[in-house]
Amino acid sequence: MLFLAAFALAGVAGWRLAIRWTPPVERYPVQGVDVSENTGTIVWPVLKGAGAQFGYAVATVGATTRDRNFQANWDAMGRVGMKRGALHIFSFCQSPRVQGDVFNTVVPRDLRALPAAIAFAFDEGCTDRPARPALIAGVREMIERIEAHTGKPVILRISPQVEDDYQLTAALDRRWWAVGNFLKPGYGERAWSLWRASDVHRIDGVQGPVNWDVATKGALGE
């Protein structure tokens, strides 16, 4: 019983350390968050004061859904002087062109903003898997339309599973954003520019867990 109790306490202590962990600022001095309506209550001045230097807010999901908190998050980041960017969650079940057009109707053109980001990850609610040539052609058209609106090259957030199936980092010549909790990602044909380092991070200013990200030097134009 004593062994089990000690093991449980060690587990609790380890989890508390894990949810407060961030990559070392000496190596990654630019760190921030990505948020959506699922993140919960955010007090942006407190979050910025706690160390978040930039924020990405989900704007749209697929071709039909607008994030309910996007405008509030976007405006709040602007008020506190935080670098801000808009994020689209890609759907493999809907037209890339239409997704790009919907994103453009929701996200204001702001040349001071961070590059727009498109996130590629498989969703249990969408079982479609387009052929690679068709997907890449559609995404290229989507990228062109978003870049024409925003005035900047996009960043592509690509999950390991999507990269395994589609090799997007080899096909699309854009900076990309890797995903991997706690462990530095080692996938992709090219070096990543951003890394989602934790999706369970706890920090002052956010009611629940938040996605914590780091950027390499120059990735965000700093």
Side-chain angles (χ1 to χ4, degrees):
M1 290 294 294
L2 289 176
F3 172 78
L4 291 176
F7 185 80
L9 288 173
V12 171
W15 179 245
R16 287 177 176 171
L17 288 174
I19 62 177
R20 291 290 181 176
W21 173 87
T22 61
V25 294
E26 297 80 13
R27 186 165 186 178
Y28 302 106
V30 180
Q31 307 200 9
V33 296
D34 67 273
V35 302
S36 73
E37 63 185 47
N38 299 320
T39 303
T41 302
I42 304 171
V43 183
W44 285 100
V46 175
L47 177 58
K48 181 182 179 183
Q53 297 165 267
F54 68 88
Y56 269 90
V58 171
T60 46
V61 180
T64 59
T65 304
R66 173 176 177 165
D67 188 280
R68 291 174 295 181
N69 289 357
F70 170 70
Q71 195 63 53
N73 287 330
W74 183 262
D75 293 344
M77 287 188 284
R79 285 195 298 271
V80 301
M82 183 182 288
K83 295 179 180 179
R84 62 184 180 178
L87 176 65
H88 173 75
I89 307 299
F90 184 83
S91 171
F92 289 83
C93 287
Q94 296 171 317
S95 162
R97 176 174 181 169
V98 175
Q99 292 183 64
D101 289 344
V102 170
F103 178 87
N104 289 344
T105 65
V106 171
V107 178
R109 179 179 171 88
D110 180 1
L111 294 178
R112 297 168 299 176
L114 299 175
I118 307 171
F120 297 87
F122 293 135
D123 177 2
E124 292 181 357
C126 168
T127 58
D128 287 5
R129 297 293 180 265
R132 183 172 184 266
L135 177 75
I136 290 170
V139 170
R140 281 179 174 153
E141 182 179 13
M142 178 185 183
I143 287 172
E144 289 174 0
R145 298 175 81 84
I146 290 176
E147 290 178 347
H149 172 66
T150 63
K152 293 182 178 181
V154 301
I155 291 176
L156 308 175
R157 191 172 78 196
I158 306 169
S159 74
Q161 297 80 12
V162 171
E163 178 64 12
D164 284 346
D165 284 3
Y166 287 102
Q167 295 83 52
L168 294 185
T169 61
L172 302 169
D173 186 19
R174 294 295 186 277
R175 289 177 177 172
W176 74 284
W177 184 345
V179 179
N181 272 351
F182 307 116
L183 300 177
K184 180 180 176 181
Y187 65 97
E189 293 295 317
R190 296 175 287 107
W192 46 264
S193 297
L194 284 87
W195 165 28
R196 178 191 274 185
S198 174
D199 61 12
V200 295
H201 187 61
R202 294 282 186 154
I203 189 171
D204 293 344
V206 183
Q207 187 178 40
V210 67
N211 299 323
W212 192 256
D213 306 282
V214 300
T216 59
K217 184 177 180 180
L220 300 178
E222 70 280 358

